[in-house]
Amino acid sequence: MSIGSILNVSLNALSSYQLAIDVTGGNIANVNTPGYTRQRAVLTATGSVNARSEAAQISVKVADIERIFDTYTENQVAQQQQKAGYGDTRYSLLQKVETVFDETTGNKLNDAFNRFWEAWSDLALHPDGKVERDALLAAARTAAEMFNSYGDQIYDLQLGIDEGLKDSVAQINSLTSRIAALNKEISSLSARGGETNLLRDERGLVLKDLCRQVSCHWVEDANGAVNVYLPNGQAVVEGIGSRDLALVKNGQTGFQDLVLKENPQVVLNDFLAGGGKGVVGAYLDVRDGLLPDYEDKLNELAKTFMDAVNDVHTGAYDADGNLGERFFVLTDENSTAYARNITVNGAILSDPAKIAASATTARDGEKAAEIAALKDRLLMGGGSATLGSFYASLVGTIGRDAAAASRDADYQNAVLTQLQNQRESVSGVSLDEEMMNLMKFQMAYTAAGKLCRVADDLLETLMKLVD
Amino acid sequence: MTIRITDGMRYEATIRNLFVANTNYGEAMTRLASQKRINRISDDPLGLSQVLTLKQANADIGLYSDNIGQTNSWLAETESKLNSAMDLLVRASELAVSQASATANASSRKIASREVDVLLDGLLSLANAKLGDRYLFAGTRTDTEPFRRDYTAAAVDGPYAAPENTYQGTVTKGGTYTGTENRTFVVKIVKGGDEGEATYQVSRDGGKTWSAESAAGDLQNTVDLGDGVTLDFSAGEFGAGDIFRIEAYAAGYYRGNADELRVAVGKNASTPYGVTGAAAFTAQGGGEVEVFQVLNDLKKALEDNDAQGVADQIDKLKAAQDQVSLAVSRCGVRANRLEIARNNLKDLETSLAQRISDLEDADIAELSVKFSAKEAALQASYLVATRLQNASILNFFD
């Protein structure tokens, strides 16, 4: 035991508290940094006390700079990001669908239908009327164009999703290669016993971004590298290497399929869709599940509408005594996309006299009345619904889907917020706490300085004895 | 347990609360501005489906009411023409009664015959009256002038080939029409091809119902349409759906047909409107008296100074009056039926409008209260946000 050792203790304490203040400063500086995990200088006492030899050497050191986090919560946040990404994307897509079918203000298909039936009914009363024929053609064109516009807008949404997928894939590829790069730094640094806290923070953040985009899971290996797998077990990050995703056009659907760049034969769509996870999952679900479903119903409606009108029309006589032609035709006769292709027969458009309204060669208008009465016929759903009620229920279905998507997005985000709060509560920086720590360490630093002064005084006293 | 509340949590929570309050405020404002409860279909999908169905029903009602409105004027016009015709017939009766008596003589009958002539003109113009450009009394042949003043022998008009026909050969009619009412015959080619291959069907009611399909090659022979009318087709190429029309007129004065015009007044409910000339003025459509014949006979008897001939017409004129009067009352009955239908529709319309409004429209009073509440919530959120920086230990350092 010596005065020198007191100076030594004082030195240890000064440098330890300086480091602790440094760490606190780092925390304060990063109070708003996303993904930052607060750090703490772990102070431990060193030295030993040997009372018998009257020797005591107790000092302090910073044993470790600890990263305060909870792996379980971190993982949960990442997992929940997948569901929140899915929910948000699905809702924003369904909002667009909802706008297509926005019947709240009228002037959509429901009105077009009503006007179409009304025009036939008017024609039934005035089978010779030029005005009534022109009005009917206008109403018929509106109805056909409304179908076209619905069909086109659904198709455009699908194309828009393809564009979104391109962005997502680019983002996923950059995120996976970033994870691989971080893996490399972390494993080489930790092999040399280095400090990897900040790198891990960054990797956690990148991983969360990746989770938002695509359904995946990951495992950390012994070197500290994380391997990321797609739901089918395909690794996209393995150690320090990553595999890129790519898009190839599906010849049948005309839309983009998701594949692994190095293995374009295996289509990953089915693995990524359906689980309710990730932006990509939502894209695929909506593009290949919901939208085709709506489109099928719309096509069914357009086809039934077209066939029913044509059926009566071709059995009726026009103003010149000809048998009627088909009233509605398809711009592409081979297409099954009836909604996008339905149009009024050009021959009738250019010559309204060809509208066939009568059951006999006299102008009785009976067939026009029969067409007007199609609105009440149970033509849809195997004889359970009229054209109008089928459409109303389609709009209802879309509304319900959108409402459900909205609720789901809200719920998933609420859960995410909850989990983020938990994470934040463990790992986030509290300025109040850091301030207290700062005061605490500052005081200790001052005290250590005082200790140094005391040792100095002691030494001086000792030296004076010698004089 | 105490939870560590970090600064990040506090700010995040405040921002989120601001968003929520803003969204709610915005929604309440949209509703208040549009005064509608449903502004997007997801606001109330079930309600919106119902609104759409109700609007369809509402459009139906509009359509039926419109139909009834238009037919009402047709019926009123028909009734007024028939009443005028009635007056003419009453006058003719008076003349017949007075000129059949012994006090009448050749010169008074001559004068009376001129009056009957005028009456005939009057009746003709009434029977050929139009509403817009459609003849009131032509049955469904509303584009054909229905009556002729003079007796016309049975005739066959046509054949008329439809303009879109493939067949370019000549069709020759033959025979004499022996039917008792006007009829439109239609020949439709079922299978195309040359005369040896093509088959046809014949309709006796203007194209509504069809005979059995002929055998191939039958077009090479004379086609018998029935009632004495035949057609001969020259060789040529026929197309499926080619239409040939033949108008056959029974002897007499009428050129229209006996088909009644109908109007839809409800789901699967249609009602005839108007009265055919056949029923009102001829013996073809359920009536018994050829009114024009009777007047012509009366005129002739008067011109010929044939007292017995004049007397013979008195009963017939009475029967003619009965016939026209029956037509008038039929108009009344039909107008009545339309009126009842219209009243029913009106009741329905009111209740539908109410239901649509219930589903679609916002309750303004309730909405205003809610809006104020949302506004207060938003203001409170702002207040909290401004207070946030006070809650820090930093404010207590000097």
Side-chain angles (χ1 to χ4, degrees):
Chain A
M1 180 173 164
S2 66
I3 291 176
S5 77
I6 297 177
L7 278 171
N8 209 28
V9 170
S10 161
L11 179 66
N12 281 344
L14 280 171
S15 63
S16 292
Y17 286 115
Q18 191 181 338
L19 184 56
I21 288 170
D22 274 355
V23 172
T24 306
N27 285 341
I28 292 171
N30 283 298
V31 63
N32 289 323
T33 309
Y36 180 77
T37 303
R38 75 185 161 108
Q39 310 205 8
R40 192 171 58 188
V42 182
L43 298 167
T44 40
T46 59
S48 58
V49 179
N50 192 339
R52 198 169 299 167
S53 70
E54 296 184 331
Q57 174 71 66
I58 300 174
S59 185
V60 67
K61 71 165 182 183
V62 174
D64 189 16
I65 295 179
E66 190 185 16
R67 192 167 161 257
I68 300 174
F69 78 110
D70 171 0
T71 317
Y72 178 70
T73 313
E74 291 284 334
N75 280 343
Q76 277 203 315
V77 170
Q79 294 286 0
Q80 188 59 31
Q81 285 280 9
Q82 304 188 357
K83 291 182 186 165
Y86 177 89
D88 285 350
T89 311
R90 186 182 154 97
Y91 177 49
S92 88
L93 290 173
L94 277 173
Q95 267 186 316
K96 288 178 189 153
V97 182
E98 198 185 15
T99 326
V100 174
F101 289 85
D102 181 14
E103 279 283 358
T104 54
T105 49
N107 294 323
K108 288 271 179 174
L109 189 58
N110 203 44
D111 276 8
F113 265 153
N114 290 343
R115 277 202 297 272
F116 181 74
W117 305 128
E118 208 173 309
W120 277 106
S121 173
D122 284 348
L123 185 67
L125 280 183
H126 304 281
D128 310 315
K130 180 92 182 61
V131 185
E132 283 77 6
R133 281 172 188 265
D134 286 346
L136 168 61
L137 284 182
R141 281 176 67 163
T142 313
E145 280 162 10
M146 205 56 85
F147 269 119
N148 299 159
S149 125
Y150 281 13
D152 288 348
Q153 286 186 74
I154 289 181
Y155 183 68
D156 287 348
L157 273 175
Q158 287 174 314
L159 288 184
I161 289 176
D162 266 13
E163 287 300 310
L165 271 176
K166 271 181 206 161
D167 291 347
S168 276
V169 165
Q171 211 172 336
I172 290 166
N173 289 343
S174 108
L175 291 170
T176 48
S177 61
R178 182 92 196 100
I179 291 173
L182 285 164
N183 274 348
K184 189 177 172 187
E185 288 185 56
I186 288 171
S187 40
S188 71
L189 205 60
S190 61
R192 284 184 274 124
E195 186 53 67
T196 56
N197 284 359
L198 291 179
L199 292 171
R200 281 170 184 274
D201 276 359
E202 190 183 345
R203 188 176 65 187
L205 205 60
V206 175
L207 207 51
K208 279 172 202 157
D209 285 348
L210 180 67
C211 281
R212 197 169 171 82
Q213 292 298 326
V214 69
S215 170
C216 59
H217 55 96
W218 60 94
V219 183
E220 186 169 338
D221 70 12
N223 301 327
V226 293
N227 297 332
V228 184
Y229 305 93
L230 294 181
N232 63 338
Q234 173 66 55
V236 283
V237 179
E238 214 165 9
I240 58 172
S242 67
R243 292 196 179 88
D244 277 357
L245 294 180
L247 291 167
V248 290
K249 190 167 179 170
N250 182 323
Q252 210 167 359
T253 62
F255 299 123
Q256 306 281 347
D257 277 342
L258 215 81
V259 294
L260 211 60
K261 201 172 199 171
E262 61 194 38
N263 184 12
Q265 267 69 46
V266 182
V267 176
L268 300 170
N269 290 9
D270 289 348
F271 302 112
L272 298 177
K277 286 180 176 179
V279 172
V280 168
Y283 278 156
L284 292 172
D285 271 355
V286 174
R287 189 193 72 185
D288 303 336
L290 273 182
L291 290 180
D293 192 36
Y294 299 154
E295 201 189 355
D296 285 352
K297 287 196 171 134
L298 199 61
N299 281 336
E300 189 187 340
L301 184 68
K303 182 174 179 357
T304 312
F305 173 62
M306 180 174 92
D307 289 350
V309 172
N310 285 351
D311 203 37
V312 180
H313 196 258
T314 49
Y317 297 92
D318 69 13
D320 297 324
N322 297 303
L323 271 180
E325 299 176 31
R326 287 189 303 159
F327 189 80
F328 287 114
V329 292
L330 296 175
T331 40
D332 174 4
E333 291 290 346
N334 299 319
S335 171
T336 51
Y338 300 99
R340 293 181 65 201
N341 278 298
I342 187 173
T343 179
V344 181
N345 190 340
I348 296 177
L349 273 184
S350 54
D351 181 8
K354 286 203 169 129
I355 296 173
S358 303
T360 68
T361 48
R363 294 169 193 173
D364 52 62
E366 237 173 74
K367 288 286 178 179
E370 198 177 313
I371 291 180
L374 288 176
K375 67 182 160 56
D376 297 322
R377 292 256 307 274
L378 299 173
L379 297 167
M380 305 295 303
S384 63
T386 64
L387 293 163
S389 63
F390 182 85
Y391 174 67
S393 98
L394 172 61
V395 173
T397 305
I398 292 167
R400 264 193 301 284
D401 286 349
S406 160
R407 274 196 303 276
D408 182 60
D410 283 351
Y411 170 70
Q412 300 297 0
N413 278 311
V415 174
L416 180 63
T417 306
Q418 182 68 29
L419 288 169
Q420 275 171 334
N421 274 343
Q422 279 179 23
R423 184 224 168 252
E424 209 22 47
S425 175
V426 175
S427 304
V429 176
S430 160
L431 281 179
D432 289 353
E433 183 185 13
E434 301 305 331
M435 282 302 142
M436 292 308 295
N437 283 342
L438 200 58
M439 284 199 293
K440 187 169 78 185
F441 296 141
Q442 189 188 2
M443 203 161 277
Y445 187 88
T446 313
K450 183 88 179 163
L451 183 63
C452 181
R453 173 74 104 355
V454 168
D456 185 43
D457 286 352
L458 287 179
L459 213 55
E460 201 170 319
T461 310
L462 204 60
M463 290 305 165
K464 274 182 186 159
L465 290 178
V466 181
D467 279 345
Chain B
M1 178 197 150
T2 329
I3 302 171
R4 271 184 88 241
I5 306 289
T6 68
D7 292 75
M9 285 162 79
R10 249 196 318 241
Y11 283 106
E12 280 296 319
T14 310
I15 291 170
R16 206 167 36 249
N17 286 339
L18 273 176
F19 282 162
V20 171
N22 248 321
T23 309
N24 289 340
Y25 177 71
E27 265 171 19
M29 194 147 72
T30 311
R31 282 185 187 174
L32 202 58
S34 70
Q35 311 228 334
K36 284 197 166 175
R37 202 172 61 81
I38 307 175
N39 290 295
R40 283 186 315 200
I41 55 179
S42 58
D43 284 348
D44 181 359
L46 182 65
L48 188 74
S49 289
Q50 288 172 343
V51 168
L52 289 187
T53 318
L54 291 174
K55 276 185 177 167
Q56 287 158 12
N58 212 12
D60 285 0
I61 289 174
L63 183 156
Y64 297 136
S65 306
D66 201 37
N67 280 353
I68 292 171
Q70 296 193 34
T71 47
N72 256 344
S73 57
W74 182 276
L75 266 175
E77 197 63 21
T78 305
E79 194 173 344
S80 118
K81 297 297 181 221
L82 286 173
N83 277 327
S84 304
M86 190 72 188
D87 293 345
L88 294 185
L89 289 177
V90 170
R91 179 62 193 146
S93 275
E94 287 168 10
L95 283 173
V97 169
S98 68
Q99 298 307 320
S101 73
T103 54
N105 56 31
S107 82
S108 75
R109 288 194 177 119
K110 189 115 207 155
I111 295 167
S113 84
R114 294 223 181 91
E115 193 173 344
V116 172
D117 196 50
V118 173
L119 291 181
L120 252 176
D121 279 345
L123 188 66
L124 185 71
S125 80
L126 288 174
N128 283 341
K130 281 174 157 186
L131 181 65
D133 51 3
R134 304 165 76 212
Y135 289 99
L136 286 169
F137 294 108
T140 60
R141 303 191 59 190
T142 51
D143 54 342
T144 310
E145 192 173 61
F147 283 97
R148 300 192 168 187
R149 188 188 158 120
D150 300 314
Y151 179 83
T152 315
V156 178
D157 272 5
Y160 303 102
E164 300 283 315
N165 283 1
T166 311
Y167 179 70
Q168 295 299 330
T170 45
V171 193
T172 327
K173 67 185 171 195
T176 314
Y177 183 55
T178 57
T180 53
E181 52 184 271
N182 300 344
R183 202 179 276 293
T184 303
F185 292 100
V186 179
V187 175
K188 178 169 78 178
I189 303 300
V190 181
K191 273 198 212 81
D194 63 24
E195 67 278 5
E197 297 165 347
T199 60
Y200 66 89
Q201 284 178 314
V202 176
S203 165
R204 288 162 54 79
D205 55 6
K208 264 190 208 174
T209 56
W210 297 93
S211 69
E213 191 179 337
S214 75
D218 281 1
L219 278 167
Q220 289 161 328
N221 310 322
T222 298
V223 175
D224 184 9
L225 301 180
D227 293 332
V229 184
T230 61
L231 282 184
D232 281 296
F233 291 87
S234 70
E237 190 71 16
F238 293 88
D242 282 2
I243 297 285
F244 305 92
R245 176 169 61 94
I246 298 93
E247 301 290 352
Y249 300 105
Y253 302 83
Y254 189 50
R255 297 245 128 188
N257 62 19
D259 293 343
E260 287 181 316
L261 294 164
R262 300 186 76 86
V263 60
V265 293
K267 275 185 191 177
N268 309 318
S270 74
T271 179
Y273 68 99
V275 174
T276 66
F281 301 117
T282 76
Q284 288 189 22
E288 286 160 7
V289 191
E290 285 284 341
V291 178
F292 284 86
Q293 182 73 53
V294 175
L295 285 181
N296 270 317
D297 287 352
L298 176 62
K299 187 184 145 203
K300 176 124 199 334
L302 288 168
E303 277 169 354
D304 296 352
N305 195 18
D306 172 5
Q308 184 54 47
V310 173
D312 285 349
Q313 303 310 318
I314 295 176
D315 280 351
K316 290 184 181 171
L317 278 168
K318 179 78 183 65
Q321 287 173 35
D322 287 349
Q323 189 170 315
V324 172
S325 144
L326 183 69
V328 171
S329 70
R330 204 176 276 173
C331 280
V333 169
R334 288 177 181 176
N336 219 349
R337 193 180 155 184
L338 291 174
E339 193 55 35
I340 291 169
R342 198 221 289 266
N343 286 339
N344 285 342
L345 290 174
K346 257 187 196 148
D347 292 349
L348 203 58
E349 195 171 16
T350 321
S351 73
L352 269 181
Q354 183 61 46
R355 281 178 62 198
I356 291 175
S357 162
D358 284 351
L359 282 168
E360 208 177 33
D361 295 347
D363 179 340
I364 301 299
E366 186 192 342
L367 206 58
S368 309
V369 174
K370 274 192 182 158
F371 179 71
S372 308
K374 304 287 181 207
E375 200 174 22
L378 183 63
Q379 283 167 352
S381 301
Y382 284 137
L383 193 68
V384 169
T386 57
R387 293 282 175 83
L388 204 56
Q389 62 184 18
N390 296 344
S392 169
I393 196 169
L394 290 171
N395 295 318
F396 299 92
F397 287 131
D398 288 325

